[in-house]
């Protein structure tokens, strides 16, 4: 009788547990069915949005012109090289009355550390926009755009930025944002092209094969940069180097509208131990260092108008920093340099003097 009573108790308990388990499974099946229905609804909504997006993309493609062909035209390249050689080392007629040069570094501000060890960050050198443009790495095709300095400084991730995918990958860190356009360098075989990209409608406006033969890295300590596009009060410049004069840096005046080379100069500034350069009031300032990182310094200045002799220029030292400057962009509107130093983004504010006072 005790065993029968024990069996009845166990049977009753198992029946209760089985009933509870059945109810639990039924509840889970109902919840899974609701989740499946919700996912089906979301999938249908996503399909509708994708279809709408495809129609909008089709409309935009009909409104925006197709990017121009940027394949290398050998005949055109030979003509550009010949024209550039004719204009080499001609006397330069200044476009503005700018007569300033750098006297010293007034202050340094470290904004943050973002991205890889090599890169570039800058503002529009010609406009009044507060947007921050960030190029992470020396070979990429996606740039970040932050609406203001605050969003770039305060947030560690890129969630506050817009991303712009370029039609062709860049090479080096010699890019420039100027008057609403991005000027960047594309390598195609042994040749290098300057691509002019409209940042508003995301299209290639123009492109040009750079008219220099057998180019080599322009800076001895930055072997990834073959052309540095710079801006100052006079307009656009291109800093480069060739095997013809492989010891020194060359400079060219660039037409921002047509990308034509207006004039070219051989400078006395050596490539060895150079890590970057920028142009101020028509004068090339080359920044040097050593392979074992020490203090960066402007040790060579070449003035295309001839009003400032190299031996009369100030020897400007940058404050102690982390590694090596991979990107340095001068802002003529703000009189400061946006630098990328081993992954750190730094602003150097300049103290200026008249060339006749140096």
């Amino acid at each position: 009788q005790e065993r029968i009573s024990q069996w009845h108790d166990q049977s009753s308990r198992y029946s209760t547990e089985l009933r509870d388990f059945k109810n639990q499974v039924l509840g889970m099946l109902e919840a899974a069915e609701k989740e499946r229905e919700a996912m089906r609804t979301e999938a249908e909504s996503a399909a509708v949005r994708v279809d709408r997006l495809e129609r909008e993309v089709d409309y935009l493609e009909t409104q925006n012109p197709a990017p121009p062909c940027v394949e290398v035209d050998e005949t055109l390249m030979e003509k550009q090289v010949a024209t550039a050689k004719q204009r080499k080392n001609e006397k330069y007629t200044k476009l503005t009355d700018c007569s300033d040069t750098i006297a010293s570094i007034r202050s340094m501000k470290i904004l943050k550390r973002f991205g890889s060890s090599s890169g570039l960050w800058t503002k529009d050198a010609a406009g009044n926009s507060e947007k921050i443009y960030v190029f992470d790495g020396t070979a990429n095709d996606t740039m970040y755009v932050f609406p203001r300095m605050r969003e770039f400084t305060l947030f560690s991730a890129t969630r506050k930025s817009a991303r712009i995918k370029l039609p062709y990958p860049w090479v080096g860190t010699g890019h420039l944002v100027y008057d609403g356009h991005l000027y960047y360098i594309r390598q195609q075989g042994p040749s290098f092209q300057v691509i002019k990209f409209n940042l508003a409608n995301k299209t290639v406006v123009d492109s040009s094969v750079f008219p220099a033969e057998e180019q080599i890295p322009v800076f001895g300590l930055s072997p990834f940069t073959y052309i540095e596009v710079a801006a100052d009060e006079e307009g656009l410049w291109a800093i480069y180097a060739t095997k013809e004069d492989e010891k020194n840096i060359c400079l060219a005046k660039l037409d921002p509208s047509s990308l034509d080379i207006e004039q070219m100069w051989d400078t006395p500034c050596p490539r060895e131990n150079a890590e970057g350069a920028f142009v101020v009031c028509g004068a090339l300032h080359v920044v040097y260092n050593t392979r074992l990182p020490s203090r960066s310094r402007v040790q060579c200045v070449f003035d295309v108008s001839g009003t400032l002799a190299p031996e009369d220029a100030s020897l400007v030292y940058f404050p102690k920093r982390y590694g090596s400057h991979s990107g340095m962009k001068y802002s003529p509107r703000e009189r400061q340099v946006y630098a990328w130093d081993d992954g750190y983004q730094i602003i150097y504010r300049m103290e200026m003097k008249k060339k006749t006072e140096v």
Side-chain angles (χ1 to χ4, degrees):
Q1 288 179 352
E2 290 179 356
R3 288 182 177 180
I4 292 175
S5 177
Q6 185 180 7
W7 179 82
H8 278 297
D9 291 341
Q10 291 177 350
S11 177
S12 177
R13 186 170 67 253
Y14 291 155
S15 298
T16 302
E17 291 178 355
L18 181 61
R19 185 171 59 254
D20 292 343
F21 177 72
K22 181 180 179 180
N23 292 335
Q24 184 179 1
V25 170
L26 289 175
M28 293 173 65
L29 289 175
E30 290 178 1
E33 181 64 25
K34 290 181 180 178
E35 291 181 2
R36 188 182 70 84
E37 185 65 24
M39 291 181 65
R40 186 183 64 82
T41 303
E42 290 181 2
E44 291 178 352
S45 176
V48 172
R49 291 197 298 269
V50 169
D51 183 65
R52 185 185 301 118
L53 180 61
E54 288 178 348
R55 292 198 300 269
E56 291 177 354
V57 170
D58 291 340
Y59 171 76
L60 289 174
E61 287 181 347
T62 60
Q63 296 299 312
N64 294 326
C69 177
V70 293
E71 297 300 322
V72 176
D73 187 329
E74 298 295 339
T75 305
L76 177 60
M77 183 177 178
E78 291 177 0
K79 182 178 179 181
Q80 290 177 330
V81 170
T83 303
K85 286 183 176 180
Q86 290 179 357
R87 297 175 178 175
K88 201 166 189 177
N89 298 322
E90 292 180 358
K91 185 178 179 181
Y92 178 74
T93 303
K94 293 189 67 175
L95 303 176
T96 68
D97 58 355
C98 180
S99 59
D100 291 337
T101 187
I102 299 175
S104 63
I105 306 298
R106 186 174 63 186
S107 64
M108 177 185 77
K109 184 176 182 181
I110 302 173
L111 271 296
K112 63 185 299 184
R113 187 173 190 177
F114 173 86
S116 57
S117 60
S118 299
L120 174 75
W121 75 296
T122 184
K123 284 185 178 181
D124 190 321
N128 294 320
S129 173
E130 293 301 317
K131 290 183 178 180
I132 302 296
Y133 301 91
V134 180
F135 304 82
D136 186 17
T138 60
N140 205 337
D141 63 356
T142 302
M143 59 182 290
Y144 300 100
V145 183
F146 292 83
R148 287 175 299 275
M149 186 72 74
R150 180 178 181 273
E151 282 76 6
F152 175 65
T153 305
L154 295 181
F155 296 94
S156 59
T158 58
R159 59 188 179 91
K160 289 292 182 179
S161 70
R163 300 188 181 192
I164 299 180
K165 186 176 177 61
L166 302 176
Y168 314 104
W170 68 69
V171 59
T173 58
H175 337 301
L176 177 74
V177 178
Y178 186 85
D179 196 22
H181 293 84
L182 167 64
Y183 297 81
Y184 74 100
I185 307 303
R186 177 198 183 195
Q187 184 173 7
Q188 191 174 24
S191 302
F192 293 89
Q193 298 170 333
V194 181
I195 307 295
K196 182 179 180 181
F197 182 79
N198 189 302
L199 293 170
N201 59 27
K202 314 296 189 297
T203 58
V204 174
V205 177
D206 203 352
S207 65
S208 175
V209 177
F210 195 76
E213 298 174 324
E214 296 183 306
Q215 286 184 241
I216 56 178
V218 60
F219 308 122
L221 298 184
S222 301
F224 38 76
T225 297
Y226 287 80
I227 300 174
E228 177 82 25
V229 184
D232 73 340
E233 296 78 3
E234 294 280 297
L236 256 60
W237 305 82
I239 308 167
Y240 66 102
T242 65
K243 284 187 177 181
E244 183 180 357
D245 184 14
E246 62 179 354
K247 291 185 177 181
N248 295 331
I249 294 173
C250 299
L251 180 66
K253 187 68 173 65
L254 191 65
D255 186 334
S257 300
S258 63
L259 300 181
D260 289 339
I261 300 298
E262 298 177 349
Q263 287 183 241
M264 305 177 83
W265 296 267
D266 296 324
T267 79
C269 300
R271 292 176 54 249
E272 185 179 3
N273 290 332
E275 67 175 14
F278 48 88
V279 183
V280 179
C281 287
L284 174 68
H285 293 67
V286 184
V287 181
Y288 292 88
N289 206 314
T290 60
R291 296 195 178 277
L292 294 176
S294 61
R295 290 187 66 187
S296 299
R297 63 199 184 280
V298 176
Q299 193 170 336
C300 184
V301 179
F302 174 74
D303 189 352
V304 296
S305 64
T307 57
L308 176 66
E311 60 272 13
D312 295 333
S314 297
L315 179 60
V316 179
Y317 279 91
F318 289 82
K320 182 72 176 177
R321 78 284 188 281
Y322 300 95
S324 176
H325 290 118
S326 61
M328 304 185 78
K329 286 299 171 186
Y330 171 71
S331 171
R333 176 169 57 93
E334 300 170 316
R335 294 296 177 91
Q336 59 190 23
V337 171
Y338 293 86
W340 189 294
D341 180 1
D342 198 25
Y344 289 88
Q345 289 72 50
I346 302 174
I347 294 177
Y348 296 109
R349 292 184 174 87
M350 303 297 177
E351 189 73 35
M352 311 300 288
K353 282 187 176 182
K354 295 297 181 183
K355 293 179 181 179
T356 54
E357 297 177 6
V358 177

